[in-house]
Amino acid sequence: MSEIPARPTESEGPSADAPLGDAVWQSSPPGSIYDYIKVASFSIGPDGLVDQWSLRAEQLLGIPAEHAVGTDPIDAFVDPDLRERGQRKMAEILDGREWTGVVPFRAPDDGTGHRTGRGTRGLAEVYVMPTRTEDGEKAAVCIVVDVRVLRSIETDLAASQAIFGQSPFGFLLIDPDLRVRRANQRFASTFGGTPDDHRGKGVHDYLPRAEADRVSATLRRVLESGESITDMHVTGFVPGTEERRHWSVNLYRVHSGSGRPIGVAWLGTDITARRAAAREAAAARRNLALLNEAGARIGNSLDLETTARELLDVVVPGFCDLATVDLYQGLLVGDETPPGLADGSAELRRVAYSSAVSDAPLHGAGERVQLGAVHHYPFNSPCADALRTARPRTVPAEDGSLVQSTLAVPMVAHDTVVGLAQFARTKGSEPFGDRDRDLAVELAARAAVCIDNARLYRREHERALILQRSLLPPGDPEASGLDIACRYLPGEAATGRASEVGGDWFDVIELPGHRTALVVGDVMGRGLRAAVAMGELRTAVRTLAQLDLEPAEVLSQLDEIARGLGAPGGVQQATRAARRPREADLSEVYLATCVYAVYDSVTRRCTFANAGHLPPVLVEPGESALMLDVPPGLPLGVGGEPFEEVEVELPEGALLALYTDGLVESRDHPLDEGLQAFVGALTDPTQPLEDVCDQVLNTLDSHHGEDDIALLMARVQGLPTESVGDWTLPREPRSVGRAREYARRRLLDWDMEVLVDTTELLVSELVTNALRYGEGEIRLRLLLDRTLVCEVWDSGLVQPRRRRARDTDEGGRGLQLVGLLSAAWGSRRTPRGKTVWFELPLPGGDTPLTDPAEALLSLF
């Protein structure tokens, strides 16, 4: 042997493809199959005794060479029960016969390499080959293998073959040169050919260059470090197709029996479908997140333009790169009919635009459309077709535009198209697919419903405001003995934002005897129903006020009415609730707060009753403002508790303020703070009332909340003493003439001669009725202010009743005459009886006086 080839490195080992004749020399353990099996050998001389004993035999059989050489092998390690049979076999072998069999032996068990005599039974597969010595004598060579090791190798090979050959995954064994040493059928079925056809190939034969370089680097790292790689994603193409495939690959280093690295195992599975499903799931999650975001962010405002902008805030840039919203112009101006024409060419206004890129506008009608511009789409355009058919359409990209994909999606709510949304993606983004189209339709539909709700709300809000304002006193109301100013601000005016109409109201009601009822109330809740309930309560207050009931009685009757407003049955429900107030269901009624005050301009006394409302504020001349201590009582609609009255004498020039909680309470300021600010704002009550109202609203501007504001302010101007005539008459017939005389003198003193005849006639009728049907002494009172009022008081409780007299009746025409000659007349209860009154207009007014003679003739 003239040349010894260079020894391969430990990591490389001999190549499986090397020629069979090549010799490989190495001084390190070879790590071959023999090393793994641990084959033992010994030889037997012509005398049947062991003459050579290998180190592996010492390890396997546990007998040192010095003990084994020169001994009978049968006696050395064969079980005594088989000794005789073993000797016969040995004689046959020495006679020249080969023999292979399984022989029991006593295996060592102390781990020292020396037999202890207490070894366990083992099985050895023995191969005996006859041979001859140099002298020609018969001898034998024995090869011994532990049967347990052989069975283990057989099992391992079978398992390896099953795993490699039957694995449902692509299985490769890659050698240290990064070449395929072995491939399984699964891998071959994917890339074509038989498993043997892939031997010697590298990763560059299967993957694109960049991907192959990355995978090669990873294989080298695994081979060098022994670090396993799990779930490495590899992308490539199957030969003969253009379909991009994805694999998940696990890599781990493979070792020989001696622990020497011999390659890398590649276990790959096709995850193309899984990746596609993952992309679909990710897209579904993204779409669901967009829908959730849309539900949370779209429709928070009841403003049409704001809702459109909220849609674009959701879709840009999460869904598209730029987007616009066009709404029908008719919708924006408040048309009640469904907006737009059937051909989709009606005028639209661009109300929202958003872009994640610069200089990439959407177009309409062939030219750029500015935000806020009114435009229309040509009949044959995709946008007009989308509006006409209520179905999404794809808009072709314009030459030179950055936009590559555009969806025109009609905004449909309740089968009505309210506008058009356009979603666009620029070049470099993924074009819209079917899933994107469905999502765009859903997003546009959600926004359309919110926009339609905003439209309906705006219509309801406007109607409610019209209703509410129609129920408020027109302009600044007038009242005897009071200078009045008032303010009413809806919530949207107070905050600058649209809000639901509330149930706040105030009223000034003139009562007989130059008295005035001042009312401020607030129906809890908002919306059209609250406004309607407010209107019903206000009407009820005016009706009850004309009955001239005491303030506490007015609130008691109003409480019964309030308990039936929100329930089926209306007044009947209120009646039932009044009969069993403790059992009234508060969920079926409207709750309201109210302050009702009656001011008498003659006495300057004001009587208050409160149903859960904020206290009135009084400012006396030269004094600081204070809140009157009026028992609040329960709100209207609760029932079960009586209301209390408080009477306060108001000095001349005093300022009285009634208001609702919107003036003094908000989210940012507690009620107590607002009340103190309101009291502090009334610093100079001597200013004109209009200026005082403006000062209060300006001072409390930071306290305004979203509620309506009602403010009613009145300055006391009592009726002068010289404008009052008051006499007490005894209960006798002569009192009729005295009453006529008192009235004549006082009218002449007031320069009201033109009213003398009518007043005398009517005074005589009322005093006569008091004598005939009343009780106790009679009181006559004349009051001169904006009208002339005459009152006749007595202690009787029977109210006068007007009836039609027959032609033959001598009497019964007095009250008819009062009704004909007076501008108004009536009666009311007093703490000590009743009062019958009539009212005459002053000369020079808009109401002409009736001639007494003509009135008398009309009665007969």
Side-chain angles (χ1 to χ4, degrees):
M1 185 176 294
S2 60
E3 181 178 350
I4 299 177
R7 180 177 61 85
T9 63
E10 180 70 19
S11 62
E12 293 175 349
S15 173
D17 298 327
L20 295 179
D22 291 350
V24 178
W25 294 75
Q26 65 181 43
S27 58
S28 60
S32 67
I33 187 65
Y34 301 103
D35 184 58
Y36 180 72
I37 298 174
K38 300 184 185 303
V39 178
S41 63
F42 62 92
S43 62
I44 302 173
D47 56 0
L49 301 179
V50 176
D51 61 358
Q52 291 185 21
W53 192 259
S54 67
L55 295 177
R56 287 285 176 85
E58 290 185 2
Q59 298 171 0
L60 177 62
L61 301 176
I63 303 174
E66 58 267 23
H67 293 167
V69 175
T71 62
D72 186 340
I74 302 303
D75 293 335
F77 60 90
V78 176
D79 192 294
D81 296 338
L82 302 175
R83 184 173 299 168
E84 181 179 353
R85 184 178 176 185
Q87 290 175 345
R88 288 198 303 270
K89 286 294 181 183
M90 181 57 64
E92 294 176 357
I93 292 170
L94 293 175
D95 195 32
R97 297 178 59 182
E98 292 186 1
W99 181 80
T100 301
V102 178
V103 178
F105 67 95
R106 293 189 298 274
D109 59 359
D110 63 352
T112 62
H114 300 281
R115 274 178 59 175
T116 64
R118 299 188 305 272
T120 59
R121 289 175 61 90
L123 288 177
E125 184 171 291
V126 181
Y127 178 38
V128 183
M129 297 173 290
T131 186
R132 292 182 181 273
T133 66
E134 293 179 357
D135 299 333
E137 294 180 300
K138 294 180 179 179
V141 175
C142 298
I143 297 176
V144 182
V145 180
D146 192 333
V147 171
R148 292 174 299 179
V149 175
L150 290 178
R151 298 297 179 266
S152 176
I153 293 174
E154 291 175 353
T155 302
D156 290 348
L157 288 175
S160 176
Q161 182 61 32
I163 293 174
F164 199 89
Q166 301 174 22
S167 172
F169 310 109
F171 213 151
L172 296 177
L173 181 59
I174 300 177
D175 64 18
D177 294 330
L178 303 187
R179 295 289 177 178
V180 175
R181 177 71 61 85
R182 186 176 180 185
N184 71 345
Q185 183 59 44
R186 179 68 176 179
F187 183 87
S189 64
T190 300
F191 287 91
T194 66
D196 291 340
D197 293 336
H198 295 278
R199 289 179 180 271
K201 291 185 177 182
V203 292
H204 286 80
D205 296 319
Y206 302 101
L207 302 175
R209 182 177 182 82
E211 187 76 340
D213 291 342
R214 181 179 69 89
V215 173
S216 296
T218 304
L219 288 171
R220 290 192 183 93
R221 187 171 68 252
V222 172
L223 192 62
E224 294 172 358
S225 66
E227 177 185 357
S228 298
I229 300 294
T230 59
D231 197 25
M232 180 179 72
H233 287 194
V234 178
T235 302
F237 297 91
V238 174
T241 69
E242 297 297 328
E243 179 185 1
R244 182 183 295 273
R245 306 298 293 270
H246 303 274
W247 293 275
S248 173
V249 176
N250 296 327
L251 303 174
Y252 57 92
R253 191 168 68 181
V254 180
H255 304 83
S256 67
S258 63
R260 179 176 57 84
I262 61 173
V264 176
W266 168 301
L267 183 64
T269 180
D270 193 328
I271 60 170
T272 303
R274 191 174 76 188
R275 283 280 294 268
R279 286 197 303 271
E280 290 291 320
R285 287 193 298 269
R286 182 194 67 213
N287 293 351
L288 181 59
L290 277 174
L291 290 176
N292 289 338
E293 185 181 4
R297 298 180 61 181
I298 299 176
N300 293 323
S301 169
L302 289 172
D303 179 74
L304 300 179
E305 290 84 353
T306 302
T307 302
R309 289 193 296 269
E310 289 170 347
L311 169 63
L312 301 194
D313 290 341
V314 171
V315 300
V316 178
F319 176 70
C320 58
D321 297 318
L322 61 157
T324 64
V325 173
D326 298 329
L327 296 181
Y328 277 116
Q329 179 69 0
L331 178 75
L332 295 171
V333 298
D335 289 347
E336 291 296 325
T337 56
L341 301 177
D343 61 2
S345 62
E347 288 187 338
L348 299 103
R349 185 194 303 172
R350 180 145 297 175
V351 297
Y353 169 79
S354 180
S355 175
V357 295
S358 59
D359 195 28
L362 288 180
H363 294 73
E367 58 184 15
R368 180 174 299 191
V369 178
Q370 300 295 331
L371 183 64
V374 177
H375 66 101
H376 67 86
Y377 293 106
F379 177 80
N380 59 351
S381 66
C383 293
D385 186 54
L387 291 169
R388 182 169 52 252
T389 62
R391 294 182 178 181
R393 292 291 183 264
T394 300
V395 180
E398 299 180 358
D399 295 338
S401 173
L402 294 177
V403 176
Q404 71 156 348
S405 181
T406 302
L407 285 177
V409 183
M411 305 178 71
V412 184
H414 311 299
D415 298 328
T416 299
V417 178
V418 299
L420 183 75
Q422 293 188 69
F423 309 104
R425 290 178 179 174
T426 56
K427 294 179 179 178
S429 301
E430 184 178 354
F432 291 112
D434 293 338
R435 183 184 296 274
D436 295 323
R437 179 187 293 255
D438 295 339
L439 177 60
V441 170
E442 177 65 22
L443 291 171
R446 292 196 178 197
V449 170
C450 294
I451 287 174
D452 193 55
N453 289 340
R455 176 183 68 86
L456 296 175
Y457 165 78
R458 183 178 63 183
R459 182 181 65 184
E460 178 181 335
H461 186 259
E462 290 174 352
R463 291 177 178 178
L465 282 178
I466 293 173
L467 170 63
Q468 189 178 43
R469 289 166 179 166
S470 68
L471 296 176
L472 297 174
D476 289 332
E478 297 181 353
S480 177
L482 292 174
D483 182 15
I484 294 178
C486 52
R487 293 289 187 274
Y488 176 79
L489 297 179
E492 61 179 347
T495 63
R497 302 190 304 269
S499 63
E500 288 188 293
V501 68
D504 294 19
W505 91 93
F506 67 89
D507 209 345
V508 178
I509 307 170
E510 293 191 80
L511 300 177
H514 290 309
R515 295 173 304 127
T516 304
L518 304 175
V519 189
V520 170
D522 183 5
V523 177
M524 298 182 186
R526 304 189 64 78
L528 183 60
R529 294 183 65 192
V532 171
M534 177 272 288
E536 295 186 25
L537 289 178
R538 178 181 180 274
T539 301
V541 169
R542 296 189 69 87
T543 302
L544 294 171
Q546 296 304 323
L547 297 178
D548 218 344
L549 303 176
E550 295 298 323
E553 182 63 22
V554 170
L555 293 186
S556 296
Q557 296 296 326
L558 200 63
D559 177 63
E560 295 183 10
I561 295 173
R563 277 180 282 166
L565 287 183
V571 176
Q572 296 180 1
Q573 176 70 18
T575 303
R576 290 196 297 270
R579 293 175 181 171
R580 46 182 177 84
R582 296 290 184 183
E583 302 175 5
D585 185 359
L586 297 183
S587 65
E588 296 180 351
V589 301
Y590 274 97
L591 299 181
T593 62
C594 180
V595 169
Y596 185 86
V598 175
Y599 170 71
D600 189 334
S601 63
V602 178
T603 64
R604 293 201 313 273
R605 289 183 173 273
C606 189
T607 304
F608 297 91
N610 190 352
H613 203 79
L614 297 174
V617 174
L618 177 65
V619 187
E620 296 185 4
E623 301 289 341
S624 300
L626 57 88
M627 289 181 285
L628 293 178
D629 186 13
V630 180
L634 296 177
L636 301 175
V638 176
E641 296 293 336
F643 297 97
E644 300 183 44
E645 291 182 355
V646 173
E647 186 177 72
V648 179
E649 184 174 351
L650 305 179
E652 186 74 16
L655 186 63
L656 180 67
L658 304 178
Y659 52 95
T660 57
D661 57 358
L663 180 67
V664 295
E665 186 177 24
S666 71
R667 296 178 181 177
D668 302 326
H669 300 85
L671 178 61
D672 291 343
E673 181 180 331
L675 287 173
Q676 294 301 322
F678 177 44
V679 171
L682 298 172
T683 56
D684 188 6
T686 61
Q687 294 182 359
L689 277 185
E690 296 294 335
D691 296 341
V692 175
C693 289
D694 293 338
Q695 177 183 348
V696 168
L697 294 180
N698 293 333
T699 302
L700 299 182
D701 181 68
S702 60
H703 296 275
H704 288 165
E706 296 181 356
D707 202 358
D708 296 350
I709 294 174
L711 175 62
L712 176 61
M713 306 195 76
R715 179 176 284 118
V716 174
Q717 297 174 346
L719 198 63
T721 305
E722 58 271 17
S723 297
V724 179
D726 196 345
W727 304 274
T728 301
L729 303 172
R731 191 170 188 78
E732 58 185 28
R734 289 183 302 174
S735 295
V736 176
R738 291 179 182 177
R740 292 166 62 96
E741 182 63 25
Y742 291 151
R744 170 184 286 273
R745 290 179 182 177
R746 185 51 58 92
L747 289 176
L748 292 177
D749 292 341
W750 289 339
D751 294 329
M752 294 291 171
E753 185 177 358
V754 68
L755 299 178
V756 170
D757 293 341
T758 302
T759 303
E760 282 188 315
L761 179 60
L762 298 183
V763 164
S764 64
E765 289 294 337
L766 295 187
V767 173
T768 300
N769 283 345
L771 290 172
R772 182 177 300 176
Y773 304 109
E775 299 178 6
E777 63 181 6
I778 300 171
R779 181 183 178 189
L780 172 65
R781 190 167 74 166
L782 292 181
L783 308 175
L784 179 63
D785 193 37
R786 292 180 294 115
T787 60
L788 175 67
V789 175
C790 175
E791 299 176 334
V792 176
W793 306 49
D794 69 74
S795 301
L797 298 178
V798 178
Q799 297 289 325
R801 182 173 61 88
R802 184 177 177 179
R803 64 183 180 86
R804 180 175 296 278
R806 293 173 296 183
D807 295 340
T808 57
D809 291 341
E810 295 183 1
R813 296 179 176 85
L815 293 181
Q816 293 186 44
L817 184 63
V818 173
L820 288 173
L821 293 177
S822 65
W825 78 277
S827 67
R828 68 178 187 274
R829 297 183 184 276
T830 65
R832 297 181 179 84
K834 69 176 180 296
T835 298
V836 183
W837 59 270
F838 67 84
E839 183 177 325
L840 294 177
L842 300 182
D846 296 334
T847 304
L849 296 174
T850 302
D851 185 10
E854 295 179 359
L856 287 171
L857 290 175
S858 66
L859 296 177
F860 296 95

